[in-house]
Amino acid sequence: MAAAVAAATHASESRFHVLAVDDNLVDRKLIERLLTTCSYQVTAVDSGNKALEFLGLLEDSVTALNSDPHEVEVDLIITDYWMPGMTGYDLLRKVKECRRDIPVVIMSSENEASRINMCLEEGAQEFLVKPVRQSDVTNLIKPRAFVKGGDDNGVVSPVYCSGVDDNRHGTATATETVISPPAER
């Protein structure tokens, strides 16, 4: 896994890096495919603990994969809500304790208003109801998407998803939620 961290760190210098977390193999492969179709760098793991380990934030790890949690550049975390061991909500809380700069998106097959509100109040950028579609992924980051490694003035380039338009229901998706870099303080 240390080699994966090194590769992810190097590759993330030029591509928007998404950490996808889902215990279900089919759902994890689906979200990974949707994200890679949009030319994002994707690291997929099957648990909240593995996500924290990848980020270098796992508290009880004897040897952290990464001594500096800021070495691994992740631009977005997208996680399932229900997972054994650690829920997506628990992962959200732990990430926000240490890395408030990383937006977190929660996914769930259950459309419960109280759960959605709880996640959003805790700092989730967005809550997606499964099954996640290409348009959901595209709308997360378009139209003001960012790719690291723009010009020397810190200007970043927009990312446009070349995937299939997934407007299956014949209605326009007008979601204005986008992920943008945190404001300088």
Side-chain angles (χ1 to χ4, degrees), residues 8-26:
T9 303
H10 175 70
S12 70
E13 293 172 4
S14 61
R15 291 174 57 195
F16 195 89
H17 187 187
V18 180
L19 177 58
V21 187
D22 201 316
D23 62 308
N24 181 291
L25 178 62
V26 173

Side-chain angles (χ1 to χ4, degrees), residues 40 57 73 76 143 161 163:
Y40 305 132
L57 302 176
E73 291 294 328
L76 174 71
C161 183

Side-chain angles (χ1 to χ4, degrees), residues 1 15 20-22 42 63 68-69 73 83 95 101-102 120 178:
M1 181 120 170
R15 291 174 57 195
V21 187
D22 201 316
V42 181
T63 56
D68 179 6
E73 291 294 328
M83 295 182 292
V95 167
D101 60 313
I102 303 175
L120 294 174
V178 292

Side-chain angles (χ1 to χ4, degrees), residues 50-67:
K50 286 185 182 172
L52 292 176
E53 183 180 10
F54 180 79
L55 294 167
L57 302 176
L58 192 60
E59 298 165 358
D60 47 340
S61 176
V62 175
T63 56
L65 293 174
N66 189 2
S67 59

